[in-house]
Amino acid sequence: MNRRVAVALAAFGLACSVAAFLGWLLGLPALRGFGFSQYPIWPWTTLGYIGLSLGFLASFAGRRQLAIAALAVPFAIAAVSLFERWSGTDLDLDTLLFPSELTSYAFPTPGRTGVNPAAAFLVLGLAALSQSMHDLLAKEMRSLAATVALGLAGAAVIVILFSRPGNDPAVPLLTTSIPGALISISLALSAIAWNSGFSWMRELLRDPGNRRVLRILIPAALILPVLPALLELVLARRLLFSAVPVQLLTVLGNVLVVGTIAYWAVSRVAREQSAQIELSEAIDVTTMALTAPDGRIVHWSDGAAKLFGWSAAEARGQNKYALLRSRCESAETILPRRPQGETQEMIETARDGREIAILERIHRVEIAGRDPVIIHKMTDVSDRARAVTALRESQERFAIATATHEVGVFEWDVASGRIEWAPGAEERLGLIPGTITDFDSWRGQIQPEDVDSVIDAIEQAVADRAPRFSFRYHFIEPNGSVRAVEGSSRAIYDNEGNLIRAVGAMLDITEREEREAALRRREAQLRSIIETVPEAMLAVDEEGTIRVFSAAAEALWDYRAHEVLGHHVSMLTPYPADEDAETRLSSFLKTGQPLERGESIAATGLTRAGARFPMEVRAGVAQVDGHLLFTLFARDLTEQFEAEERLSELNAEIAHVGRQSAMSELAADMAHELNQPLAATSNFLAAARMLLDKGEDFERVAEMLRMANEQTLRAGEIIRRLRSFTMRGDVDMRVTPLGPTIRDAADLVLIGTSQFNIRLTYDLDPEIPCVFADRVQVQQVVVNLLRNSIDVLRQQGGDDRRITVSSCKSSDDMVAIEIADSGPGIPEPMLDQLFSRFTTTKSQGGGMGIGLSISKRIIDAHGGTLSAENRPEGGAVFRFTLPTSEQGGE
């Protein structure tokens, strides 16, 4: 509304300026002075007011460049006029416009702009130019400049009204025309209306002490500028002074009056404005809002905008509690307005959804003539609320923790000796509430030997001014049982260093003490076991460092425990020089993979003297605090290896004896078998002799000799096979052809059995040409098994006497050989102990019972198995396995 009035007043000033200029253009003297023809407005002054009015309108429209161009006209006219008037120089510019009309006026310098219009040009022009400055001080200065211009225009009107009519050469210096005064007044009021001026005056009126000053200042500001003009008029009419001194005196008087008023006003406004700006900035930084009585926000500070996220433009006009969704902490309802002076704590929601704890203070302000407002001073207490919540939660957690861990909290007042317990502390410690209330009652309920230790700890802490001390003692319960407790106390001293109070906590450690005692007993027992166990025992960590070394280990390696503890286990067992060639023990210590039940590791030990010995290591793995711990039990295998070597030699001897025993049983059959080739040889030689005596053809004699030679070779082969079978030799494992080995052994067994009509058939797999074995030992097994079958078939009647030898793959690396017969089978009671020594199925005196036992040991030594079972269709089958030739190649 004020700005529309300002634009209208500026337009009115422009209209007056144009109308006065038309008076010159149309030759109408009455229009030049708006009825006061003797005081016309000069053409140049009219153009200056037209530029001034246009400058005001352009400034109001925000057209700064256009405003500067328009205001340059009145500034130039004022500058030229003041220069000509005070320098006494005539630039002959006054009569450039309408010279003939100007000569009709009896003025000293007709057409020249007077001091009053020139001052109005300068003051109002500056007010128009400062419209682009938006700070409050510039606004008040514009209002002040307009006020000064308004006073000058009023003074000019008064001078005109009191001056003599006619062409008076002594017209006062500050005299102006009625059009000029109207235009100045309208433009000054326009500037005041546009800037909503005189806020400094309202601020002054709020202070009762300033009201009396304003009641004097305002009339003085309006009247004092008139006094110099009236003084000039009186002096000019009485002709007491010449025109020039009177004019200078009037100018100085007006300058003095206007300068005094302006200085006082500006300084006063500056002080008040500075204080107001500081107060406004301070208030705006705070979190504050002004609301109407109905709750609408009329002011929203920057502090509130930063805290809640809504800008002043967004918050203004909305209900404060609805915008922030205010609620009490214990309720979800929106809060109503609160009465005067009340403080309330609430939860309010920011724009981003954050909930903020707010402490709000409300103050109602009522000013006469204005609507009341409510000041809401809001303080963010979120940190305090969070701290209170955290403290409450901490107290709850502390209570839960002390209850969970059975911690008893107490306070001891040293001067009075009184002991106070936290709620539930005595029960958690197993005490009867109220039994320990002071130092004496405490002393009477703990073990006497513990009293001195606790008192010594307290005295030592006091002597050292230690901030805390620890204790451990035992309560004696009424039933005679003992409870152990330990804890620590915070010691509080006075200025003289005396202990005045102790606050502490203690924990029932009865169960822990019992566990510690049990652990000590187990440690002592374990130490005794370690010292007495016959096998060497040592513990090694995952880095290979020796941690435990038993007495048996000391005897085995010839080291003392202190010499190996902390050293690497490689000093006891040689590690390979090549890192890629790990021993099984080093691999086990590296991977930590537990061994199977009953599994052991073969390794080599290294004594202190550098001697190596074979050992067997059984190991266990445990994880302690995230680290592996290996327990190793080592056993020296030197004597075992020597015994096994002797046993191996003995077994070889027994096998040799077994073969000789078998040959002794085959001796008669072999003698019969040898008789046939020997008798045939004798007959062939006798026939050859008879042919020679008769002189027969030599070819027939040669044929007889050749046949005799074949029979001799046959007898020699029988003897060679027998000798090879009965010879004792070392084990010779090599790739051996399976078929010939079995057939040679079968031919040896079948010597002299032709009269029993026993049929031997082969079913050998052609895909298995060879095995990896000792040829003689395999033949010994085949001979033993075939002899058993032949012995059984000899005693069986009938013509169905069959033995079948077959072979097949039993797995990827083993070959199975089966020898099956058509006999009566093996008695069931004998199956479980068939391969034990001195067990035989033959009739009394028929055998020693070591053949099958020797055969099983031979097959076991080859890495195979030997078993026997009865066939469903009748007869027995013996099955043994041997490694394939591929295994031998590997």
Side-chain angles (χ1 to χ4, degrees), residues 660-709:
Q660 289 183 337
S661 175
M663 286 309 304
S664 65
E665 297 177 4
L666 293 173
D669 295 334
M670 290 180 61
H672 174 75
E673 189 70 17
L674 286 174
N675 283 334
Q676 291 180 356
L678 293 176
T681 300
S682 177
N683 292 333
F684 288 141
L685 291 175
R689 182 178 179 180
M690 289 175 62
L691 291 176
L692 288 174
D693 292 340
K694 293 180 178 181
E696 294 288 338
D697 187 8
F698 180 74
E699 291 181 0
R700 291 189 63 190
V701 174
E703 179 67 19
M704 292 293 112
L705 292 176
R706 183 187 62 78
M707 294 176 66
N709 184 55

Coordinates of all heavy atoms in Angstrom, one line a residue, residues 660-709:
Q660 N 61.6 -127.7 3.0 CA 62.3 -129.0 3.1 C 61.4 -130.1 3.7 O 61.4 -131.2 3.2 CB 63.5 -128.9 4.1 CG 64.7 -128.1 3.4 CD 65.9 -128.0 4.4 OE1 65.7 -128.2 5.6 NE2 67.1 -127.8 3.8
S661 N 60.5 -129.7 4.6 CA 59.5 -130.6 5.1 C 58.6 -131.1 4.0 O 58.2 -132.2 3.9 CB 58.7 -130.0 6.3 OG 57.7 -130.8 6.8
A662 N 58.2 -130.0 3.3 CA 57.3 -130.4 2.2 C 58.0 -131.3 1.2 O 57.4 -132.3 0.7 CB 56.8 -129.1 1.4
M663 N 59.3 -131.1 0.9 CA 60.0 -131.9 0.0 C 60.2 -133.3 0.6 O 60.2 -134.3 -0.2 CB 61.3 -131.3 -0.4 CG 61.2 -130.1 -1.3 SD 60.2 -130.5 -2.7 CE 61.0 -131.9 -3.4
S664 N 60.3 -133.4 1.9 CA 60.5 -134.7 2.5 C 59.2 -135.5 2.3 O 59.3 -136.8 2.1 CB 60.8 -134.6 4.0 OG 59.7 -134.1 4.7
E665 N 58.1 -134.8 2.3 CA 56.8 -135.5 2.1 C 56.6 -135.9 0.6 O 56.0 -136.9 0.3 CB 55.6 -134.7 2.5 CG 55.6 -134.3 4.0 CD 54.5 -133.4 4.4 OE1 53.7 -133.1 3.5 OE2 54.4 -133.0 5.6
L666 N 57.3 -135.1 -0.3 CA 57.2 -135.4 -1.7 C 58.3 -136.3 -2.2 O 58.4 -136.6 -3.4 CB 57.3 -134.1 -2.5 CG 56.1 -133.1 -2.3 CD1 56.4 -131.8 -3.1 CD2 54.8 -133.7 -2.8
A667 N 59.2 -136.7 -1.3 CA 60.4 -137.4 -1.7 C 60.0 -138.8 -2.4 O 60.5 -139.1 -3.5 CB 61.3 -137.7 -0.5
A668 N 59.0 -139.5 -1.8 CA 58.6 -140.8 -2.4 C 58.0 -140.6 -3.7 O 58.3 -141.4 -4.7 CB 57.6 -141.5 -1.4
D669 N 57.1 -139.6 -3.8 CA 56.5 -139.4 -5.1 C 57.6 -139.0 -6.2 O 57.5 -139.4 -7.3 CB 55.5 -138.3 -5.0 CG 54.3 -138.7 -4.1 OD1 54.1 -139.9 -4.0 OD2 53.6 -137.8 -3.6
M670 N 58.6 -138.2 -5.7 CA 59.6 -137.7 -6.6 C 60.5 -138.9 -7.1 O 60.9 -139.0 -8.2 CB 60.5 -136.6 -6.0 CG 59.7 -135.3 -5.8 SD 60.8 -134.1 -5.0 CE 62.1 -134.0 -6.2
A671 N 60.7 -139.8 -6.1 CA 61.5 -141.0 -6.5 C 60.8 -141.8 -7.5 O 61.4 -142.3 -8.5 CB 61.8 -141.9 -5.2
H672 N 59.5 -142.0 -7.4 CA 58.7 -142.7 -8.4 C 58.8 -142.0 -9.7 O 58.9 -142.6 -10.8 CB 57.3 -142.9 -7.9 CG 56.4 -143.5 -8.9 ND1 56.4 -144.8 -9.2 CD2 55.4 -142.9 -9.7 CE1 55.6 -145.1 -10.2 NE2 54.9 -144.0 -10.5
E673 N 58.7 -140.7 -9.6 CA 58.6 -139.9 -10.9 C 60.0 -139.9 -11.6 O 60.1 -140.0 -12.8 CB 58.3 -138.4 -10.5 CG 58.0 -137.6 -11.7 CD 56.7 -138.0 -12.4 OE1 55.9 -138.7 -11.8 OE2 56.5 -137.6 -13.6
L674 N 61.1 -139.9 -10.8 CA 62.4 -140.0 -11.4 C 62.7 -141.4 -11.9 O 63.5 -141.5 -12.9 CB 63.5 -139.6 -10.3 CG 63.6 -138.1 -9.9 CD1 64.6 -138.0 -8.8 CD2 64.0 -137.3 -11.1
N675 N 62.1 -142.4 -11.3 CA 62.3 -143.8 -11.9 C 61.9 -143.9 -13.3 O 62.5 -144.6 -14.1 CB 61.6 -144.8 -11.0 CG 62.4 -145.1 -9.7 OD1 63.6 -144.9 -9.6 ND2 61.6 -145.5 -8.7
Q676 N 60.8 -143.2 -13.7 CA 60.3 -143.3 -15.0 C 61.3 -142.8 -16.1 O 61.6 -143.5 -17.0 CB 59.0 -142.6 -15.2 CG 57.9 -143.2 -14.4 CD 56.5 -142.5 -14.5 OE1 56.5 -141.4 -15.2 NE2 55.5 -143.0 -14.0
P677 N 61.8 -141.6 -16.0 CA 62.8 -141.1 -17.0 C 64.1 -141.9 -16.9 O 64.7 -142.2 -17.9 CB 63.0 -139.6 -16.7 CG 62.6 -139.5 -15.3 CD 61.5 -140.5 -15.0
L678 N 64.5 -142.3 -15.7 CA 65.7 -143.0 -15.5 C 65.6 -144.4 -16.2 O 66.5 -144.9 -16.8 CB 66.2 -143.1 -14.1 CG 66.6 -141.8 -13.4 CD1 66.9 -142.0 -12.0 CD2 67.8 -141.2 -14.1
A679 N 64.5 -145.2 -15.9 CA 64.2 -146.5 -16.5 C 64.1 -146.4 -18.0 O 64.7 -147.2 -18.7 CB 62.9 -147.1 -15.9
A680 N 63.5 -145.3 -18.5 CA 63.4 -145.1 -19.9 C 64.7 -144.9 -20.5 O 65.1 -145.4 -21.6 CB 62.4 -144.0 -20.2
T681 N 65.6 -144.1 -19.8 CA 66.9 -143.8 -20.3 C 67.7 -145.1 -20.4 O 68.4 -145.4 -21.4 CB 67.6 -142.9 -19.4 OG1 66.9 -141.6 -19.4 CG2 69.0 -142.6 -19.9
S682 N 67.6 -146.0 -19.4 CA 68.3 -147.3 -19.4 C 67.8 -148.1 -20.5 O 68.7 -148.8 -21.2 CB 68.1 -148.0 -18.0 OG 68.7 -149.2 -18.0
N683 N 66.5 -148.2 -20.7 CA 66.0 -149.0 -21.8 C 66.5 -148.5 -23.2 O 66.8 -149.3 -24.1 CB 64.5 -149.0 -21.8 CG 64.0 -149.8 -20.6 OD1 64.6 -150.7 -20.0 ND2 62.8 -149.4 -20.1
F684 N 66.5 -147.1 -23.4 CA 66.9 -146.6 -24.7 C 68.4 -146.9 -24.9 O 68.8 -147.2 -26.0 CB 66.6 -145.1 -24.7 CG 65.2 -144.8 -24.8 CD1 64.6 -143.7 -24.2 CD2 64.4 -145.5 -25.7 CE1 63.3 -143.4 -24.3 CE2 63.0 -145.2 -25.8 CZ 62.5 -144.1 -25.1
L685 N 69.2 -146.8 -23.9 CA 70.6 -147.1 -24.0 C 70.9 -148.6 -24.3 O 71.7 -148.9 -25.1 CB 71.4 -146.7 -22.7 CG 71.4 -145.2 -22.5 CD1 72.1 -144.9 -21.1 CD2 72.2 -144.5 -23.6
A686 N 70.1 -149.5 -23.6 CA 70.3 -150.9 -23.9 C 69.9 -151.3 -25.3 O 70.5 -152.1 -26.0 CB 69.4 -151.7 -22.9
A687 N 68.8 -150.6 -25.8 CA 68.4 -150.8 -27.2 C 69.4 -150.4 -28.2 O 69.7 -151.0 -29.2 CB 67.0 -150.1 -27.4
A688 N 70.0 -149.2 -27.8 CA 71.0 -148.7 -28.7 C 72.2 -149.6 -28.8 O 72.9 -149.9 -29.9 CB 71.5 -147.3 -28.3
R689 N 72.6 -150.2 -27.6 CA 73.7 -151.1 -27.6 C 73.4 -152.4 -28.4 O 74.3 -152.9 -29.2 CB 74.0 -151.5 -26.1 CG 75.2 -152.4 -26.0 CD 75.5 -152.7 -24.6 NE 76.6 -153.6 -24.4 CZ 77.1 -154.1 -23.3 NH1 76.5 -153.7 -22.2 NH2 78.2 -154.9 -23.3
M690 N 72.2 -152.9 -28.3 CA 71.8 -154.1 -29.1 C 71.9 -153.8 -30.6 O 72.3 -154.6 -31.3 CB 70.4 -154.5 -28.7 CG 70.3 -155.1 -27.3 SD 68.6 -155.5 -26.8 CE 68.2 -156.7 -28.1
L691 N 71.5 -152.6 -31.0 CA 71.5 -152.2 -32.4 C 72.9 -152.1 -32.9 O 73.3 -152.5 -34.0 CB 70.8 -150.9 -32.6 CG 69.2 -150.9 -32.4 CD1 68.7 -149.5 -32.6 CD2 68.6 -151.9 -33.4
L692 N 73.8 -151.6 -32.0 CA 75.2 -151.5 -32.4 C 75.8 -152.9 -32.5 O 76.6 -153.1 -33.4 CB 76.0 -150.7 -31.4 CG 75.7 -149.2 -31.3 CD1 76.4 -148.5 -30.2 CD2 76.1 -148.5 -32.7
D693 N 75.4 -153.8 -31.6 CA 76.0 -155.1 -31.7 C 75.5 -155.8 -32.9 O 76.3 -156.7 -33.5 CB 75.6 -156.0 -30.4 CG 76.3 -155.4 -29.2 OD1 77.3 -154.7 -29.3 OD2 75.7 -155.7 -28.1
K694 N 74.3 -155.6 -33.4 CA 73.8 -156.2 -34.6 C 74.2 -155.5 -35.8 O 74.0 -156.0 -36.9 CB 72.2 -156.2 -34.5 CG 71.7 -157.1 -33.4 CD 70.2 -157.1 -33.5 CE 69.6 -158.0 -32.4 NZ 68.1 -158.0 -32.4
G695 N 74.9 -154.3 -35.6 CA 75.4 -153.6 -36.8 C 74.2 -152.9 -37.5 O 74.3 -152.7 -38.7
E696 N 73.2 -152.5 -36.8 CA 72.1 -151.8 -37.4 C 72.5 -150.5 -38.0 O 73.6 -150.0 -37.6 CB 71.0 -151.7 -36.5 CG 70.4 -153.0 -36.1 CD 69.6 -153.6 -37.2 OE1 69.1 -152.8 -38.1 OE2 69.3 -154.8 -37.2
D697 N 71.6 -149.9 -38.6 CA 71.8 -148.5 -39.2 C 72.1 -147.5 -38.1 O 71.4 -147.6 -37.0 CB 70.6 -148.1 -40.0 CG 70.9 -146.8 -40.8 OD1 72.0 -146.4 -40.8 OD2 69.9 -146.2 -41.3
F698 N 73.0 -146.6 -38.3 CA 73.4 -145.6 -37.3 C 72.3 -144.7 -37.0 O 72.2 -144.2 -35.8 CB 74.6 -144.9 -37.8 CG 75.1 -143.8 -36.9 CD1 75.8 -144.2 -35.7 CD2 74.9 -142.5 -37.1 CE1 76.2 -143.2 -34.9 CE2 75.3 -141.5 -36.2 CZ 76.0 -141.9 -35.1
E699 N 71.4 -144.4 -37.9 CA 70.3 -143.5 -37.6 C 69.4 -144.0 -36.5 O 68.9 -143.2 -35.7 CB 69.5 -143.2 -38.9 CG 70.3 -142.4 -39.9 CD 69.5 -142.2 -41.2 OE1 68.3 -142.6 -41.2 OE2 70.0 -141.5 -42.1
R700 N 69.1 -145.3 -36.5 CA 68.2 -145.8 -35.4 C 69.0 -145.7 -34.1 O 68.4 -145.4 -33.1 CB 67.9 -147.3 -35.8 CG 67.0 -147.4 -37.0 CD 66.5 -148.8 -37.1 NE 65.7 -149.2 -35.9 CZ 65.3 -150.4 -35.6 NH1 65.6 -151.4 -36.5 NH2 64.6 -150.6 -34.6
V701 N 70.3 -146.0 -34.1 CA 71.0 -145.9 -32.8 C 71.0 -144.4 -32.3 O 70.8 -144.1 -31.1 CB 72.5 -146.4 -33.1 CG1 73.3 -146.1 -31.8 CG2 72.5 -147.8 -33.4
A702 N 71.2 -143.5 -33.3 CA 71.1 -142.1 -32.9 C 69.8 -141.7 -32.3 O 69.7 -140.9 -31.4 CB 71.5 -141.2 -34.1
E703 N 68.7 -142.2 -32.9 CA 67.3 -141.9 -32.4 C 67.2 -142.5 -31.0 O 66.6 -141.8 -30.1 CB 66.3 -142.6 -33.3 CG 64.9 -142.3 -32.9 CD 64.5 -140.9 -33.0 OE1 65.1 -140.1 -33.7 OE2 63.5 -140.5 -32.3
M704 N 67.7 -143.7 -30.7 CA 67.6 -144.2 -29.3 C 68.4 -143.4 -28.4 O 68.0 -143.1 -27.2 CB 68.2 -145.7 -29.3 CG 67.3 -146.7 -30.1 SD 65.7 -146.9 -29.3 CE 64.7 -146.2 -30.5
L705 N 69.6 -142.9 -28.8 CA 70.4 -142.0 -27.9 C 69.7 -140.7 -27.7 O 69.8 -140.1 -26.6 CB 71.8 -141.8 -28.6 CG 72.7 -143.1 -28.7 CD1 74.0 -142.7 -29.4 CD2 73.0 -143.6 -27.3
R706 N 69.1 -140.1 -28.7 CA 68.4 -138.9 -28.5 C 67.2 -139.0 -27.5 O 67.1 -138.2 -26.6 CB 67.8 -138.4 -29.9 CG 67.2 -137.0 -29.8 CD 66.5 -136.7 -31.1 NE 65.5 -137.6 -31.5 CZ 64.3 -137.6 -30.9 NH1 63.9 -136.7 -30.0 NH2 63.4 -138.5 -31.3
M707 N 66.5 -140.1 -27.6 CA 65.4 -140.3 -26.7 C 65.9 -140.5 -25.3 O 65.3 -140.1 -24.3 CB 64.5 -141.5 -27.2 CG 63.8 -141.2 -28.5 SD 62.9 -142.6 -29.2 CE 61.7 -142.8 -27.9
A708 N 67.0 -141.2 -25.2 CA 67.6 -141.4 -23.8 C 68.0 -140.1 -23.3 O 67.9 -139.8 -22.0 CB 68.8 -142.4 -23.9
N709 N 68.6 -139.2 -24.1 CA 69.0 -137.9 -23.6 C 67.8 -137.0 -23.1 O 67.9 -136.3 -22.1 CB 69.7 -137.2 -24.8 CG 70.3 -135.8 -24.3 OD1 71.0 -135.7 -23.4 ND2 69.9 -134.8 -25.1

